Amino acid sequence: MVTLTIDGVEVTVERGATILEAAKKAGIRIPTLCHDKRLIPYGACRLCVVEVTARGRTRTMPACFNPARDGMEVATHTPKLIEARRLQLMLLLRSHPLLCPSCDAAGSCELQNLVHEYEVGELPFPRENRYFHVDNESPFIRFNMNLCIKCGMCVRICDEVQGERELSFINRGMVCEVSTDFGRPLGCELCGQCASVCPVGAICSKWLVGTGRLFELKRTDTTCSFCSLGCRLTLGEKDGKVVYVSSPPQSPNEGNLCVKGRYGWPYIYAEERLTKPLIRKNGALVETDWNEALSFVADRLKTLKSTRGATKLAALGSARLTNEEAYVLNRFVRTVMETPNLDHAGGYTYHALTEALWPMLGYPASPNSIREIRRAEVIVLLGADLNETHPVAKNEVIQAHGRNRAQVIVVDSVQTKLSGRLGTMFLPVPPGSEHLIAYAMLKWIISQELFDKKALDLKAEGFDDLVVSLEDYTTERVAKITGVEPELIAKAAKAYAEAGKATIVLTTGMNRLVNDVDLARAAANLALVTGRVGRESGGLHVFSEKANSQGALDMGLAPDLLPGFHRIEDEAARAKFSGAWD
Ligand code: SF4
């Protein structure tokens, strides 16, 4: 820890923290236009300059990328600093169009706010106008580089957090702009992270243009309803309609959203959405009210139960229901309909994974948090295509790889976005054989005595049985089945076993052929044998498909026997059920 004084306030921070971070901790605001805690300090805007006195010398330096040191005395708002910031703002305004009244970012523009705060008036030098074409080609994002202040936030978040590297600065001097290579249309994930960090109006959400200003919107915090990562959203509403979605920087997802979370909401107003119940009468679906619809369903279920029997009834829920809804459905199906035929769509894969983990870890879910992935030194993705299924968790892998040089090992039956990254170890396997690689890694680790004996003695039992059960999983034999070179399997095993912090990621949601139960067992065994369970940035990460997959299982929206959903679908298709409630 280091202790310093900022504007007379003594503050202690971890060694390595910047002066800017120390000031924040001391409750002192230093203005910035190019800083974001998710990004590597850049020092472009020079607004965070402070005066630092140490060892009898006073120097002016940017607070965002100079580390706090013991005994430093920092002044953040001296007349000299205020004048330096005013000059810096004037230089930015020199080529920034002064069209605030008609700019869509007015009211939420950081540059505008600082110009007011530092009372910048007439510019002491001539203005220099730039003329860039306004790019409206993307379905969600508008680029108006005439407003750009070259803070580089969009370029950096696209590279450092998203791993897309879609944007960069092209040209130099006054004609420098942020663009794709050769100005081609965006070919990225369209996550909108670039628009979310732009401090001015140079990159913004196209749907907001002409709709209203950000400060006018009614804001409501909620949770994303797509995948199971549960990113926090803030819905912006105007005239009773959602027009904008963002995420608060202090949320567990640090303000990061994927394209689904940020732009996937227009389904709320889709014309095809059913808003009233329908009953089929004389072969045609007819609109009705809820009283008639619910009475109809109750009568039909009662009749079918008394004439055909409760076992001929089935019900399917959803992993997008709330816990309360899932619990009520569970109780209704088991105690009123009196049938065990209950499941939810997509639950069969996550159910299989967690059922396998439960007896091994004593817990049917991920034992580690998402944010720990970024500090892992080795990340093994076993059939986990995070870019497709859980994009914000993919950002964690990108950050671990980009900042900490983490070794990413992808075992999958298809090329994924992460498997194609420079430095990734890719083990391509036939569909459904990812677990064989995990077992071969396990056997190799044991044969090389790279397991954690102390952790095994303390936390695991049945090690001798495990060794016997792995007899057939030599790297050579698994290589013959999967086509992956035995040396590559051994290399992956060595990297995983020898890393200080290593984790394994399993996901559901791609409907690829994966042997879920065996995969989960193999992954849990790998983590247990190497002593990763219960350690930071170790263990396992298991991500389910839908927003409340975990809650659906916890609330009992699952069959007593696996695989439920498939059986209900098959049997319904073969007309074994008389009534099904979906
Ligand atoms: Fe929503 Fe998942 Fe995307 Fe987060 S990663 S915004 S929870 S779909």
Side-chain angles (χ1 to χ4, degrees):
M1 305 299 281
V2 294
T3 301
L4 62 162
T5 310
I6 305 178
D7 292 346
V9 180
E10 194 175 275
V11 60
T12 301
V13 289
E14 267 184 41
R15 190 171 294 279
T18 62
I19 299 172
L20 189 70
E21 286 163 342
K24 196 168 178 215
K25 191 171 176 200
I28 295 163
R29 176 178 156 266
I30 299 175
T32 61
L33 276 174
C34 70
H35 177 77
D36 187 297
K37 68 174 181 186
R38 292 168 287 179
L39 304 175
I40 297 168
Y42 193 54
C45 75
R46 280 335 207 226
L47 287 173
C48 67
V49 282
V50 290
E51 283 183 339
V52 176
T53 308
R55 293 194 203 117
R57 273 181 70 202
T58 300
R59 287 183 298 163
T60 305
M61 55 177 73
C64 72
F65 68 68
N66 278 291
R69 296 194 200 283
D70 247 338
M72 259 184 177
E73 283 184 21
V74 181
T76 66
H77 284 83
T78 63
K80 184 178 162 193
L81 292 174
I82 290 172
E83 209 37 52
R85 285 180 197 140
R86 290 187 77 240
L87 179 63
Q88 199 58 32
L89 289 166
M90 286 179 198
L91 289 169
L92 287 175
L93 288 183
R94 189 172 165 233
S95 56
H96 186 86
L98 302 177
L99 302 169
C100 299
S102 61
C103 176
D104 290 291
S108 54
C109 170
E110 287 300 315
L111 178 62
Q112 188 187 38
N113 293 343
L114 288 172
V115 165
H116 283 297
E117 185 180 337
Y118 283 83
E119 298 175 352
V120 178
E122 285 290 307
L123 300 187
F125 29 70
R127 289 184 47 78
E128 191 155 357
N129 292 321
R130 302 172 296 173
Y131 299 100
F132 294 111
H133 161 71
V134 178
D135 180 357
N136 254 322
E137 295 300 309
S138 153
F140 310 130
I141 304 163
R142 191 189 72 166
F143 287 81
N144 182 355
M145 284 303 124
N146 297 300
L147 302 171
C148 178
I149 57 166
K150 302 189 188 81
C151 64
M153 302 257 271
C154 50
V155 175
R156 287 146 63 211
I157 202 159
C158 186
D159 173 15
E160 294 169 23
V161 177
Q162 288 303 122
E164 281 288 286
R165 297 182 185 159
E166 181 69 353
L167 299 174
S168 58
F169 285 113
I170 62 167
N171 303 321
R172 292 294 174 262
M174 285 303 284
V175 288
C176 173
E177 63 174 313
V178 170
S179 181
T180 55
D181 38 334
F182 304 108
R184 58 160 173 76
L186 283 179
C188 58
E189 298 167 5
L190 298 174
C191 60
Q193 294 268 76
C194 51
S196 74
V197 289
C198 181
V200 291
I203 308 181
C204 62
S205 168
K206 214 167 142 180
W207 295 344
L208 196 61
V209 175
T211 309
R213 300 254 163 78
L214 276 178
F215 64 86
E216 299 174 323
L217 307 181
K218 182 182 161 205
R219 293 170 165 256
T220 309
D221 285 340
T222 183
T223 307
C224 179
S225 58
F226 286 101
C227 86
S228 63
L229 295 188
C231 296
R232 197 166 307 158
L233 307 182
T234 303
L235 305 184
E237 185 190 322
K238 187 163 184 215
D239 301 331
K241 274 196 157 188
V242 174
V243 292
Y244 184 72
V245 168
S246 59
S247 180
Q250 66 279 11
S251 58
N253 47 302
E254 296 184 321
N256 296 314
L257 292 178
C258 75
V259 61
K260 292 180 277 185
R262 199 182 301 279
Y263 299 116
W265 46 267
Y267 71 84
I268 304 170
Y269 308 111
E271 283 181 6
E272 300 80 14
R273 245 190 120 166
L274 292 181
T275 52
K276 293 209 169 123
L278 305 170
I279 293 182
R280 194 175 297 281
K281 290 179 181 168
N282 301 323
L285 286 169
V286 181
E287 240 179 45
T288 181
D289 59 34
W290 281 107
N291 274 343
E292 188 189 354
L294 291 175
S295 308
F296 176 81
V297 173
D299 286 346
R300 293 289 293 152
L301 286 177
K302 250 193 250 169
T303 311
L304 288 169
K305 188 177 160 189
S306 58
T307 54
R308 313 270 175 91
T311 54
K312 293 288 177 191
L313 298 178
L316 288 173
S318 162
R320 296 199 200 283
L321 296 178
T322 61
N323 279 359
E324 292 79 0
E325 290 163 339
Y327 181 75
V328 169
L329 179 61
N330 170 22
R331 292 290 82 206
F332 181 76
V333 172
R334 291 182 200 272
T335 61
V336 179
M337 286 168 69
E338 292 183 289
T339 175
N341 303 316
L342 168 67
D343 203 353
H344 59 281
Y348 53 95
T349 43
Y350 188 57
H351 195 188
L353 285 177
T354 51
E355 281 293 296
L357 291 183
W358 199 338
M360 298 187 72
L361 303 178
Y363 187 61
S366 285
N368 292 72
S369 69
I370 301 166
R371 289 268 286 275
E372 290 175 47
I373 297 176
R374 69 178 63 176
R375 287 186 291 277
E377 291 157 30
V378 169
I379 302 162
V380 183
L381 299 162
L382 280 178
D385 190 350
L386 288 176
N387 198 59
E388 297 295 331
T389 56
H390 301 82
V392 167
K394 178 253 338 189
N395 294 357
E396 295 290 322
V397 181
I398 296 287
Q399 287 177 76
H401 186 234
R403 290 202 194 164
N404 308 332
R405 301 277 170 262
Q407 173 68 67
V408 181
I409 301 169
V410 177
V411 183
D412 213 316
S413 56
V414 294
Q415 277 270 11
T416 66
K417 205 155 202 168
L418 288 168
S419 74
R421 274 180 81 84
L422 199 65
T424 298
M425 214 185 283
F426 180 40
L427 285 70
V429 294
S433 54
E434 287 85 352
H435 66 288
L436 298 179
I437 298 287
Y439 278 135
M441 286 170 67
L442 191 55
K443 180 163 177 68
W444 189 89
I445 288 168
I446 294 171
S447 69
Q448 301 297 309
E449 297 194 2
L450 288 174
F451 53 88
D452 186 335
K453 180 142 184 3
K454 206 165 140 199
L456 276 175
D457 290 345
L458 267 175
K459 295 185 188 165
E461 50 194 47
F463 182 63
D464 294 337
D465 295 339
L466 176 71
V467 174
V468 173
S469 73
L470 290 172
E471 209 165 293
D472 290 340
Y473 295 98
T474 58
T475 48
E476 290 74 19
R477 187 161 174 272
V478 170
K480 266 190 199 145
I481 303 169
T482 60
V484 180
E485 294 291 322
E487 296 76 23
L488 190 55
I489 301 174
K491 196 174 161 194
K494 188 170 189 300
Y496 176 75
E498 289 183 347
K501 290 177 180 177
T503 191
I504 302 172
V505 182
L506 307 172
T507 61
T508 61
M510 283 304 286
N511 284 341
R512 287 190 196 135
L513 176 64
V514 176
N515 197 334
D516 297 300
V517 174
D518 277 332
L519 192 66
R521 280 192 191 132
N525 273 322
L526 264 174
L528 281 166
V529 162
T530 50
R532 311 282 185 203
V533 177
R535 292 218 187 132
E536 196 204 340
S537 299
L540 292 167
H541 290 86
V542 191
F543 300 136
S544 56
E545 182 183 351
K546 298 200 179 87
N548 198 21
S549 300
Q550 186 68 47
L553 290 181
D554 292 346
M555 295 299 115
L557 212 63
D560 300 331
L561 292 171
L562 290 169
F565 177 76
H566 276 172
R567 185 174 61 83
I568 293 174
E569 268 206 327
D570 283 356
E571 297 194 357
R574 280 187 265 122
K576 282 205 175 172
F577 290 117
S578 305
W581 188 12
D582 195 351

